[in-house]
Amino acid sequence: MDPQQMLAVAVEEARAGLAEGGIPVGAALFGPDGELLGRGHNRRVQDGDPSMHAETAAFRAAGRLRGYARTTMVTTLSPCWYCSGLVRQFGIGEVVIGESRTFTGGHDWLARHGVRITLLDDQECIRLMTDFIAAHPDLWYEDIGEPPGR
């Protein structure tokens, strides 16, 4: 699978989260041969659990593996520091990111620590987050932090 095909799985998850009344961020974890290991979406609103980010959900859905160095985490949005820590902690070797215009998390830090980063600048991912933030700014900033001057 190429990065855009893998991203399509994460986008499906983001849409599912939005349809449930949550934040439209989706993720998927793929094995070295492109097999889908786990997928999920941000569920912090639905579950009342601030730790249930999309990457966390996908990682948990994948279950235990003997190693993660050859896996690829695909996410619709640049991973926050919490999710960047998950990638680093478990040694996930690559992260494919749909977009980082609406939010830039820790992907530069991950790159400095040897994680391969692919930033797709995907217009659908940008539109999903831009529309959501415009419609639900308080919900978005509750998790991500207040913007400057707000």
Side-chain angles (χ1 to χ4, degrees), residues 3 5 10-11 15-16 23 36 39-40 51 55-59 63 65-66 72 77 105 115 121 139:
Q5 290 172 312
V11 169
R15 286 188 188 136
I23 297 172
L36 178 61
R39 60 190 290 166
S51 70
E55 297 88 343
T56 307
F59 182 77
L65 302 175
R66 294 188 59 81
T72 300
L77 183 64
V115 178
D121 203 29
L139 187 56

Side-chain angles (χ1 to χ4, degrees), residues 115-136:
V115 178
R116 289 178 312 281
I117 301 294
T118 301
L119 180 56
L120 297 176
D121 203 29
D122 182 83
Q123 293 303 307
E124 184 174 7
C125 292
I126 294 167
R127 189 172 36 260
L128 270 170
M129 286 310 302
T130 301
D131 291 351
F132 179 81
I133 293 167
H136 306 284

